[in-house]
Amino acid sequence: MQWCMSETITLFRTKPSRYLSHLIGHEGPGSLLAALRSKGWAHELGADDVSKSFREFSVFTVEIELTM
């Protein structure tokens, strides 16, 4: 899944999308990935922002490798 997030110049120092990527992409106990794995629904999960390429916004990506 991908979507655009507003990244204005004033938010450059706080990088809110980086916080979000760390929260969603966390793999430890109590994480989204741990919950999906415990149900047998997913193998892997990754979250990242591509704010390096764009000045006004970032493209936020969440990838989940589902089980069969």
Short mmCIF file of all heavy atoms in Angstrom, two decimals:
data_model
loop_
_atom_site.label_atom_id
_atom_site.label_comp_id
_atom_site.label_asym_id
_atom_site.label_seq_id
_atom_site.Cartn_x
_atom_site.Cartn_y
_atom_site.Cartn_z
N MET A 1 0.85 -1.15 0.00
CA MET A 1 0.00 0.00 0.00
C MET A 1 0.90 1.23 0.00
O MET A 1 1.93 1.23 0.67
CB MET A 1 -0.88 0.02 1.25
CG MET A 1 -1.85 -1.13 1.35
SD MET A 1 -2.80 -1.06 2.88
CE MET A 1 -1.61 -1.77 4.00
N GLN A 2 0.49 2.23 -0.74
CA GLN A 2 1.24 3.48 -0.77
C GLN A 2 0.28 4.65 -0.71
O GLN A 2 -0.81 4.57 -1.27
CB GLN A 2 2.06 3.61 -2.05
CG GLN A 2 3.22 2.68 -2.14
CD GLN A 2 4.03 2.96 -3.38
OE1 GLN A 2 3.50 3.34 -4.41
NE2 GLN A 2 5.33 2.76 -3.28
N TRP A 3 0.69 5.72 -0.06
CA TRP A 3 -0.07 6.95 -0.08
C TRP A 3 0.87 8.12 0.17
O TRP A 3 1.95 7.97 0.71
CB TRP A 3 -1.23 6.93 0.91
CG TRP A 3 -0.88 6.77 2.35
CD1 TRP A 3 -0.67 7.76 3.25
CD2 TRP A 3 -0.68 5.55 3.07
NE1 TRP A 3 -0.37 7.24 4.47
CE2 TRP A 3 -0.37 5.88 4.39
CE3 TRP A 3 -0.75 4.20 2.72
CZ2 TRP A 3 -0.11 4.93 5.37
CZ3 TRP A 3 -0.48 3.26 3.70
CH2 TRP A 3 -0.18 3.63 5.00
N CYS A 4 0.42 9.30 -0.22
CA CYS A 4 1.20 10.52 -0.05
C CYS A 4 0.91 11.13 1.31
O CYS A 4 -0.23 11.16 1.75
CB CYS A 4 0.86 11.54 -1.13
SG CYS A 4 1.37 11.03 -2.75
N MET A 5 1.98 11.60 1.94
CA MET A 5 1.85 12.30 3.21
C MET A 5 2.43 13.69 3.04
O MET A 5 3.51 13.85 2.48
CB MET A 5 2.60 11.57 4.31
CG MET A 5 2.02 10.23 4.65
SD MET A 5 2.90 9.41 5.97
CE MET A 5 2.68 10.53 7.32
N SER A 6 1.72 14.66 3.54
CA SER A 6 2.17 16.04 3.47
C SER A 6 3.42 16.22 4.32
O SER A 6 3.42 15.91 5.50
CB SER A 6 1.07 16.98 3.96
OG SER A 6 1.56 18.28 4.05
N GLU A 7 4.49 16.63 3.72
CA GLU A 7 5.75 16.89 4.42
C GLU A 7 6.17 18.32 4.12
O GLU A 7 6.96 18.57 3.23
CB GLU A 7 6.85 15.93 3.95
CG GLU A 7 6.67 14.52 4.39
CD GLU A 7 7.05 14.32 5.86
OE1 GLU A 7 7.92 15.03 6.37
OE2 GLU A 7 6.46 13.43 6.47
N THR A 8 5.65 19.25 4.84
CA THR A 8 6.01 20.64 4.58
C THR A 8 7.39 20.94 5.12
O THR A 8 7.94 20.21 5.94
CB THR A 8 4.99 21.61 5.20
OG1 THR A 8 5.03 21.42 6.62
CG2 THR A 8 3.59 21.36 4.67
N ILE A 9 7.94 22.02 4.68
CA ILE A 9 9.28 22.43 5.11
C ILE A 9 9.31 22.61 6.64
O ILE A 9 10.32 22.31 7.25
CB ILE A 9 9.66 23.75 4.41
CG1 ILE A 9 9.50 23.62 2.92
CG2 ILE A 9 11.02 24.22 4.83
CD1 ILE A 9 10.66 23.25 2.11
N THR A 10 8.23 23.06 7.24
CA THR A 10 8.23 23.30 8.68
C THR A 10 8.33 22.01 9.49
O THR A 10 8.74 22.04 10.64
CB THR A 10 6.96 24.07 9.11
OG1 THR A 10 5.82 23.30 8.73
CG2 THR A 10 6.89 25.42 8.45
N LEU A 11 7.95 20.87 8.92
CA LEU A 11 8.02 19.58 9.63
C LEU A 11 9.30 18.82 9.34
O LEU A 11 9.47 17.69 9.81
CB LEU A 11 6.81 18.72 9.26
CG LEU A 11 5.45 19.26 9.67
CD1 LEU A 11 4.36 18.34 9.16
CD2 LEU A 11 5.36 19.44 11.16
N PHE A 12 10.22 19.42 8.60
CA PHE A 12 11.43 18.73 8.19
C PHE A 12 12.23 18.21 9.39
O PHE A 12 12.71 17.09 9.39
CB PHE A 12 12.31 19.65 7.34
CG PHE A 12 13.64 19.03 7.01
CD1 PHE A 12 13.74 18.04 6.07
CD2 PHE A 12 14.78 19.45 7.67
CE1 PHE A 12 14.95 17.46 5.76
CE2 PHE A 12 16.01 18.87 7.37
CZ PHE A 12 16.09 17.87 6.42
N ARG A 13 12.36 19.01 10.43
CA ARG A 13 13.18 18.61 11.59
C ARG A 13 12.53 17.47 12.41
O ARG A 13 13.24 16.64 12.96
CB ARG A 13 13.45 19.80 12.48
CG ARG A 13 14.34 20.82 11.84
CD ARG A 13 14.73 21.90 12.85
NE ARG A 13 15.33 23.04 12.20
CZ ARG A 13 16.62 23.11 11.88
NH1 ARG A 13 17.41 22.11 12.13
NH2 ARG A 13 17.09 24.20 11.30
N THR A 14 11.22 17.44 12.49
CA THR A 14 10.57 16.41 13.31
C THR A 14 10.29 15.12 12.55
O THR A 14 10.12 14.08 13.17
CB THR A 14 9.25 16.94 13.90
OG1 THR A 14 8.40 17.33 12.82
CG2 THR A 14 9.50 18.11 14.83
N LYS A 15 10.20 15.18 11.24
CA LYS A 15 10.02 13.99 10.39
C LYS A 15 8.91 13.05 10.90
O LYS A 15 9.17 11.92 11.28
CB LYS A 15 11.33 13.24 10.25
CG LYS A 15 12.42 14.02 9.59
CD LYS A 15 13.69 13.20 9.53
CE LYS A 15 14.76 13.87 8.75
NZ LYS A 15 15.39 14.99 9.32
N PRO A 16 7.66 13.49 10.91
CA PRO A 16 6.58 12.66 11.44
C PRO A 16 6.41 11.32 10.72
O PRO A 16 6.06 10.32 11.34
CB PRO A 16 5.33 13.52 11.28
CG PRO A 16 5.69 14.57 10.30
CD PRO A 16 7.17 14.76 10.39
N SER A 17 6.69 11.28 9.43
CA SER A 17 6.54 10.00 8.71
C SER A 17 7.61 8.99 9.14
O SER A 17 7.37 7.79 9.08
CB SER A 17 6.59 10.23 7.20
OG SER A 17 7.79 10.84 6.83
N ARG A 18 8.74 9.46 9.61
CA ARG A 18 9.77 8.54 10.14
C ARG A 18 9.27 7.88 11.42
O ARG A 18 9.48 6.69 11.63
CB ARG A 18 11.07 9.29 10.40
CG ARG A 18 11.72 9.87 9.20
CD ARG A 18 12.65 8.88 8.59
NE ARG A 18 13.15 9.45 7.35
CZ ARG A 18 14.30 9.17 6.84
NH1 ARG A 18 15.10 8.33 7.46
NH2 ARG A 18 14.67 9.70 5.71
N TYR A 19 8.63 8.67 12.29
CA TYR A 19 8.06 8.08 13.51
C TYR A 19 7.03 7.02 13.15
O TYR A 19 7.01 5.93 13.73
CB TYR A 19 7.40 9.15 14.38
CG TYR A 19 8.37 10.06 15.09
CD1 TYR A 19 8.45 11.41 14.74
CD2 TYR A 19 9.19 9.58 16.10
CE1 TYR A 19 9.35 12.25 15.39
CE2 TYR A 19 10.08 10.41 16.74
CZ TYR A 19 10.16 11.74 16.39
OH TYR A 19 11.03 12.56 17.02
N LEU A 20 6.17 7.33 12.20
CA LEU A 20 5.13 6.40 11.78
C LEU A 20 5.75 5.12 11.21
O LEU A 20 5.29 4.01 11.52
CB LEU A 20 4.22 7.06 10.75
CG LEU A 20 2.99 6.29 10.32
CD1 LEU A 20 2.10 5.96 11.51
CD2 LEU A 20 2.21 7.08 9.28
N SER A 21 6.79 5.25 10.41
CA SER A 21 7.42 4.06 9.83
C SER A 21 8.04 3.18 10.90
O SER A 21 8.00 1.96 10.81
CB SER A 21 8.46 4.45 8.78
OG SER A 21 9.57 5.07 9.36
N HIS A 22 8.59 3.79 11.95
CA HIS A 22 9.16 2.99 13.05
C HIS A 22 8.07 2.30 13.86
O HIS A 22 8.23 1.16 14.28
CB HIS A 22 10.03 3.87 13.95
CG HIS A 22 11.34 4.22 13.35
ND1 HIS A 22 12.36 3.32 13.17
CD2 HIS A 22 11.79 5.39 12.84
CE1 HIS A 22 13.39 3.91 12.59
NE2 HIS A 22 13.06 5.18 12.38
N LEU A 23 6.95 2.99 14.08
CA LEU A 23 5.86 2.39 14.84
C LEU A 23 5.22 1.22 14.09
O LEU A 23 5.00 0.15 14.65
CB LEU A 23 4.78 3.43 15.15
CG LEU A 23 5.16 4.48 16.18
CD1 LEU A 23 4.08 5.56 16.24
CD2 LEU A 23 5.36 3.87 17.55
N ILE A 24 4.93 1.41 12.81
CA ILE A 24 4.30 0.35 12.02
C ILE A 24 5.27 -0.77 11.72
O ILE A 24 4.91 -1.95 11.75
CB ILE A 24 3.72 0.93 10.71
CG1 ILE A 24 2.57 1.87 11.03
CG2 ILE A 24 3.25 -0.19 9.77
CD1 ILE A 24 2.03 2.60 9.83
N GLY A 25 6.53 -0.43 11.46
CA GLY A 25 7.53 -1.42 11.07
C GLY A 25 8.19 -2.17 12.21
O GLY A 25 8.97 -3.09 11.98
N HIS A 26 7.86 -1.82 13.45
CA HIS A 26 8.45 -2.50 14.61
C HIS A 26 8.11 -3.98 14.56
O HIS A 26 6.99 -4.36 14.20
CB HIS A 26 7.92 -1.86 15.89
CG HIS A 26 8.40 -2.53 17.14
ND1 HIS A 26 9.73 -2.52 17.51
CD2 HIS A 26 7.75 -3.23 18.08
CE1 HIS A 26 9.86 -3.20 18.65
NE2 HIS A 26 8.67 -3.63 19.01
N GLU A 27 9.08 -4.84 14.90
CA GLU A 27 8.87 -6.29 14.78
C GLU A 27 8.88 -7.02 16.11
O GLU A 27 8.81 -8.23 16.15
CB GLU A 27 9.93 -6.88 13.85
CG GLU A 27 9.83 -6.35 12.44
CD GLU A 27 10.84 -6.99 11.50
OE1 GLU A 27 11.63 -7.84 11.96
OE2 GLU A 27 10.83 -6.63 10.32
N GLY A 28 8.97 -6.32 17.22
CA GLY A 28 9.06 -6.95 18.53
C GLY A 28 7.72 -7.36 19.09
O GLY A 28 6.67 -7.24 18.44
N PRO A 29 7.73 -7.84 20.33
CA PRO A 29 6.49 -8.25 21.00
C PRO A 29 5.50 -7.09 21.06
O PRO A 29 5.88 -5.95 21.32
CB PRO A 29 6.95 -8.64 22.40
CG PRO A 29 8.41 -8.92 22.27
CD PRO A 29 8.91 -8.04 21.17
N GLY A 30 4.23 -7.37 20.80
CA GLY A 30 3.20 -6.35 20.84
C GLY A 30 3.07 -5.54 19.56
O GLY A 30 2.22 -4.67 19.47
N SER A 31 3.87 -5.86 18.56
CA SER A 31 3.84 -5.11 17.30
C SER A 31 2.74 -5.62 16.38
O SER A 31 2.17 -6.69 16.59
CB SER A 31 5.19 -5.22 16.59
OG SER A 31 5.40 -6.56 16.15
N LEU A 32 2.48 -4.85 15.34
CA LEU A 32 1.51 -5.27 14.32
C LEU A 32 1.97 -6.57 13.68
O LEU A 32 1.16 -7.49 13.49
CB LEU A 32 1.36 -4.17 13.26
CG LEU A 32 0.48 -4.49 12.06
CD1 LEU A 32 -0.94 -4.83 12.50
CD2 LEU A 32 0.48 -3.32 11.09
N LEU A 33 3.24 -6.69 13.36
CA LEU A 33 3.75 -7.91 12.75
C LEU A 33 3.58 -9.10 13.69
O LEU A 33 3.18 -10.19 13.25
CB LEU A 33 5.20 -7.76 12.33
CG LEU A 33 5.82 -9.00 11.69
CD1 LEU A 33 5.06 -9.41 10.44
CD2 LEU A 33 7.29 -8.76 11.38
N ALA A 34 3.85 -8.92 14.96
CA ALA A 34 3.69 -10.01 15.92
C ALA A 34 2.24 -10.48 15.97
O ALA A 34 1.96 -11.68 16.02
CB ALA A 34 4.15 -9.57 17.31
N ALA A 35 1.30 -9.54 15.92
CA ALA A 35 -0.13 -9.90 15.93
C ALA A 35 -0.51 -10.66 14.66
O ALA A 35 -1.23 -11.66 14.71
CB ALA A 35 -0.99 -8.65 16.07
N LEU A 36 -0.02 -10.20 13.51
CA LEU A 36 -0.32 -10.88 12.25
C LEU A 36 0.31 -12.27 12.19
O LEU A 36 -0.29 -13.21 11.70
CB LEU A 36 0.15 -10.03 11.06
CG LEU A 36 -0.59 -8.70 10.86
CD1 LEU A 36 0.10 -7.87 9.78
CD2 LEU A 36 -2.04 -8.93 10.52
N ARG A 37 1.53 -12.38 12.71
CA ARG A 37 2.20 -13.69 12.75
C ARG A 37 1.47 -14.66 13.68
O ARG A 37 1.35 -15.85 13.38
CB ARG A 37 3.65 -13.54 13.20
CG ARG A 37 4.57 -13.08 12.12
CD ARG A 37 5.99 -13.04 12.62
NE ARG A 37 6.91 -12.69 11.55
CZ ARG A 37 8.14 -12.28 11.74
NH1 ARG A 37 8.63 -12.16 12.97
NH2 ARG A 37 8.92 -11.99 10.71
N SER A 38 1.00 -14.18 14.83
CA SER A 38 0.33 -15.07 15.78
C SER A 38 -0.97 -15.63 15.20
O SER A 38 -1.39 -16.73 15.57
CB SER A 38 0.04 -14.33 17.09
OG SER A 38 -0.99 -13.39 16.93
N LYS A 39 -1.59 -14.92 14.30
CA LYS A 39 -2.80 -15.40 13.63
C LYS A 39 -2.48 -16.22 12.38
O LYS A 39 -3.37 -16.76 11.74
CB LYS A 39 -3.71 -14.22 13.27
CG LYS A 39 -4.27 -13.51 14.48
CD LYS A 39 -5.20 -12.41 14.05
CE LYS A 39 -5.78 -11.69 15.24
NZ LYS A 39 -6.80 -12.45 15.95
N GLY A 40 -1.19 -16.27 12.02
CA GLY A 40 -0.78 -17.00 10.83
C GLY A 40 -1.11 -16.28 9.54
O GLY A 40 -1.26 -16.91 8.49
N TRP A 41 -1.22 -14.95 9.58
CA TRP A 41 -1.65 -14.18 8.41
C TRP A 41 -0.50 -13.58 7.62
O TRP A 41 -0.66 -13.25 6.45
CB TRP A 41 -2.58 -13.06 8.83
CG TRP A 41 -3.90 -13.52 9.35
CD1 TRP A 41 -4.40 -14.79 9.32
CD2 TRP A 41 -4.89 -12.72 9.98
NE1 TRP A 41 -5.64 -14.83 9.90
CE2 TRP A 41 -5.97 -13.57 10.32
CE3 TRP A 41 -4.97 -11.39 10.31
CZ2 TRP A 41 -7.11 -13.12 10.95
CZ3 TRP A 41 -6.12 -10.93 10.94
CH2 TRP A 41 -7.17 -11.79 11.25
N ALA A 42 0.69 -13.38 8.23
CA ALA A 42 1.78 -12.70 7.54
C ALA A 42 3.13 -13.24 7.97
O ALA A 42 3.29 -13.73 9.09
CB ALA A 42 1.72 -11.20 7.80
N HIS A 43 4.09 -13.13 7.04
CA HIS A 43 5.48 -13.52 7.32
C HIS A 43 6.34 -12.29 7.64
O HIS A 43 7.17 -12.34 8.54
CB HIS A 43 6.10 -14.22 6.11
CG HIS A 43 5.51 -15.54 5.80
ND1 HIS A 43 5.64 -16.63 6.61
CD2 HIS A 43 4.78 -15.95 4.75
CE1 HIS A 43 5.01 -17.66 6.08
NE2 HIS A 43 4.48 -17.27 4.94
N GLU A 44 6.17 -11.24 6.86
CA GLU A 44 7.01 -10.05 6.99
C GLU A 44 6.18 -8.78 6.83
O GLU A 44 5.12 -8.80 6.22
CB GLU A 44 8.11 -10.05 5.93
CG GLU A 44 9.13 -11.15 6.12
CD GLU A 44 10.27 -11.06 5.12
OE1 GLU A 44 10.58 -9.94 4.67
OE2 GLU A 44 10.83 -12.11 4.80
N LEU A 45 6.72 -7.69 7.37
CA LEU A 45 6.07 -6.39 7.25
C LEU A 45 7.16 -5.33 7.18
O LEU A 45 8.15 -5.39 7.91
CB LEU A 45 5.18 -6.14 8.47
CG LEU A 45 4.37 -4.85 8.46
CD1 LEU A 45 3.02 -5.10 9.11
CD2 LEU A 45 5.08 -3.74 9.16
N GLY A 46 6.99 -4.37 6.31
CA GLY A 46 7.92 -3.26 6.21
C GLY A 46 7.18 -1.96 6.00
O GLY A 46 6.13 -1.92 5.35
N ALA A 47 7.69 -0.88 6.58
CA ALA A 47 7.09 0.45 6.41
C ALA A 47 8.22 1.44 6.19
O ALA A 47 9.24 1.40 6.88
CB ALA A 47 6.29 0.83 7.64
N ASP A 48 8.03 2.34 5.22
CA ASP A 48 9.09 3.29 4.90
C ASP A 48 8.49 4.52 4.25
O ASP A 48 7.45 4.46 3.60
CB ASP A 48 10.09 2.65 3.94
CG ASP A 48 11.36 3.47 3.79
OD1 ASP A 48 11.65 4.31 4.66
OD2 ASP A 48 12.07 3.26 2.80
N ASP A 49 9.18 5.64 4.43
CA ASP A 49 8.79 6.85 3.72
C ASP A 49 9.90 7.19 2.72
O ASP A 49 11.05 6.89 2.95
CB ASP A 49 8.55 8.03 4.67
CG ASP A 49 9.81 8.53 5.32
OD1 ASP A 49 10.70 7.70 5.59
OD2 ASP A 49 9.93 9.73 5.54
N VAL A 50 9.52 7.76 1.62
CA VAL A 50 10.48 8.10 0.57
C VAL A 50 10.58 9.62 0.50
O VAL A 50 10.42 10.22 -0.54
CB VAL A 50 10.05 7.49 -0.78
CG1 VAL A 50 11.16 7.63 -1.82
CG2 VAL A 50 9.70 6.03 -0.63
N SER A 51 10.82 10.24 1.65
CA SER A 51 10.86 11.69 1.71
C SER A 51 12.13 12.27 1.13
O SER A 51 12.25 13.47 0.95
CB SER A 51 10.68 12.17 3.15
OG SER A 51 11.68 11.62 3.97
N LYS A 52 13.11 11.41 0.84
CA LYS A 52 14.37 11.90 0.29
C LYS A 52 14.20 12.45 -1.13
O LYS A 52 14.95 13.29 -1.57
CB LYS A 52 15.38 10.76 0.27
CG LYS A 52 15.60 10.12 1.62
CD LYS A 52 16.24 8.75 1.42
CE LYS A 52 15.94 7.83 2.54
NZ LYS A 52 14.62 7.25 2.55
N SER A 53 13.19 11.98 -1.83
CA SER A 53 13.02 12.35 -3.24
C SER A 53 12.19 13.59 -3.46
O SER A 53 12.30 14.23 -4.49
CB SER A 53 12.37 11.19 -3.99
OG SER A 53 13.15 10.03 -3.86
N PHE A 54 11.31 13.93 -2.52
CA PHE A 54 10.36 15.01 -2.74
C PHE A 54 10.46 16.03 -1.61
O PHE A 54 10.65 15.67 -0.46
CB PHE A 54 8.93 14.46 -2.81
CG PHE A 54 8.79 13.33 -3.78
CD1 PHE A 54 8.68 12.03 -3.34
CD2 PHE A 54 8.81 13.57 -5.14
CE1 PHE A 54 8.57 10.98 -4.23
CE2 PHE A 54 8.68 12.53 -6.04
CZ PHE A 54 8.57 11.23 -5.58
N ARG A 55 10.27 17.27 -1.93
CA ARG A 55 10.39 18.33 -0.94
C ARG A 55 9.07 18.65 -0.25
O ARG A 55 9.04 18.92 0.94
CB ARG A 55 10.94 19.57 -1.62
CG ARG A 55 11.33 20.63 -0.67
CD ARG A 55 12.02 21.75 -1.39
NE ARG A 55 12.56 22.65 -0.40
CZ ARG A 55 13.32 23.65 -0.68
NH1 ARG A 55 13.66 23.91 -1.92
NH2 ARG A 55 13.77 24.43 0.27
N GLU A 56 7.98 18.60 -0.96
CA GLU A 56 6.67 19.00 -0.44
C GLU A 56 5.89 17.85 0.20
O GLU A 56 4.98 18.08 0.98
CB GLU A 56 5.82 19.61 -1.56
CG GLU A 56 6.46 20.79 -2.23
CD GLU A 56 6.55 22.01 -1.32
OE1 GLU A 56 5.63 22.19 -0.50
OE2 GLU A 56 7.52 22.75 -1.43
N PHE A 57 6.20 16.62 -0.14
CA PHE A 57 5.46 15.48 0.38
C PHE A 57 6.35 14.25 0.36
O PHE A 57 7.43 14.26 -0.21
CB PHE A 57 4.19 15.22 -0.44
CG PHE A 57 4.45 14.80 -1.85
CD1 PHE A 57 4.49 13.46 -2.18
CD2 PHE A 57 4.67 15.73 -2.85
CE1 PHE A 57 4.73 13.05 -3.48
CE2 PHE A 57 4.91 15.34 -4.15
CZ PHE A 57 4.95 14.00 -4.47
N SER A 58 5.89 13.20 1.02
CA SER A 58 6.61 11.93 0.96
C SER A 58 5.62 10.85 0.54
O SER A 58 4.41 10.98 0.71
CB SER A 58 7.22 11.58 2.31
OG SER A 58 6.25 11.34 3.27
N VAL A 59 6.14 9.80 -0.04
CA VAL A 59 5.33 8.64 -0.39
C VAL A 59 5.58 7.60 0.69
O VAL A 59 6.70 7.13 0.87
CB VAL A 59 5.72 8.10 -1.79
CG1 VAL A 59 4.91 6.85 -2.10
CG2 VAL A 59 5.53 9.16 -2.84
N PHE A 60 4.54 7.28 1.43
CA PHE A 60 4.65 6.32 2.53
C PHE A 60 4.21 4.95 2.03
O PHE A 60 3.17 4.82 1.40
CB PHE A 60 3.78 6.77 3.70
CG PHE A 60 4.09 6.03 4.97
CD1 PHE A 60 5.15 6.41 5.76
CD2 PHE A 60 3.33 4.95 5.35
CE1 PHE A 60 5.45 5.72 6.92
CE2 PHE A 60 3.61 4.26 6.50
CZ PHE A 60 4.67 4.65 7.29
N THR A 61 5.00 3.94 2.32
CA THR A 61 4.74 2.59 1.83
C THR A 61 4.68 1.60 2.99
O THR A 61 5.53 1.63 3.87
CB THR A 61 5.86 2.15 0.86
OG1 THR A 61 5.97 3.09 -0.19
CG2 THR A 61 5.60 0.77 0.30
N VAL A 62 3.68 0.74 2.96
CA VAL A 62 3.60 -0.39 3.89
C VAL A 62 3.49 -1.64 3.04
O VAL A 62 2.60 -1.76 2.21
CB VAL A 62 2.37 -0.27 4.84
CG1 VAL A 62 2.26 -1.50 5.71
CG2 VAL A 62 2.46 0.99 5.68
N GLU A 63 4.42 -2.56 3.25
CA GLU A 63 4.42 -3.84 2.53
C GLU A 63 4.24 -4.97 3.53
O GLU A 63 4.95 -5.02 4.53
CB GLU A 63 5.72 -4.02 1.77
CG GLU A 63 5.92 -3.01 0.66
CD GLU A 63 7.21 -3.26 -0.11
OE1 GLU A 63 7.71 -4.39 -0.11
OE2 GLU A 63 7.68 -2.29 -0.70
N ILE A 64 3.31 -5.86 3.24
CA ILE A 64 3.07 -7.02 4.11
C ILE A 64 3.11 -8.26 3.24
O ILE A 64 2.39 -8.37 2.26
CB ILE A 64 1.70 -6.93 4.80
CG1 ILE A 64 1.60 -5.64 5.62
CG2 ILE A 64 1.48 -8.15 5.69
CD1 ILE A 64 0.22 -5.39 6.19
N GLU A 65 4.00 -9.20 3.62
CA GLU A 65 4.05 -10.48 2.92
C GLU A 65 3.08 -11.41 3.64
O GLU A 65 3.33 -11.84 4.77
CB GLU A 65 5.45 -11.07 2.94
CG GLU A 65 5.55 -12.37 2.19
CD GLU A 65 6.95 -12.97 2.24
OE1 GLU A 65 7.92 -12.22 2.20
OE2 GLU A 65 7.03 -14.20 2.33
N LEU A 66 1.98 -11.70 2.98
CA LEU A 66 0.92 -12.53 3.56
C LEU A 66 1.24 -14.01 3.43
O LEU A 66 1.98 -14.42 2.52
CB LEU A 66 -0.41 -12.22 2.89
CG LEU A 66 -0.89 -10.78 2.98
CD1 LEU A 66 -2.15 -10.59 2.15
CD2 LEU A 66 -1.10 -10.36 4.41
N THR A 67 0.67 -14.82 4.30
CA THR A 67 0.80 -16.26 4.19
C THR A 67 -0.20 -16.78 3.17
O THR A 67 -1.11 -16.07 2.75
CB THR A 67 0.53 -16.94 5.55
OG1 THR A 67 -0.78 -16.60 5.98
CG2 THR A 67 1.54 -16.51 6.58
N MET A 68 -0.05 -18.01 2.80
CA MET A 68 -0.97 -18.60 1.82
C MET A 68 -2.05 -19.39 2.50
O MET A 68 -1.98 -19.85 3.54
CB MET A 68 -0.21 -19.49 0.86
CG MET A 68 0.73 -18.66 0.03
SD MET A 68 1.63 -19.59 -1.15
CE MET A 68 0.84 -19.58 -2.60
#
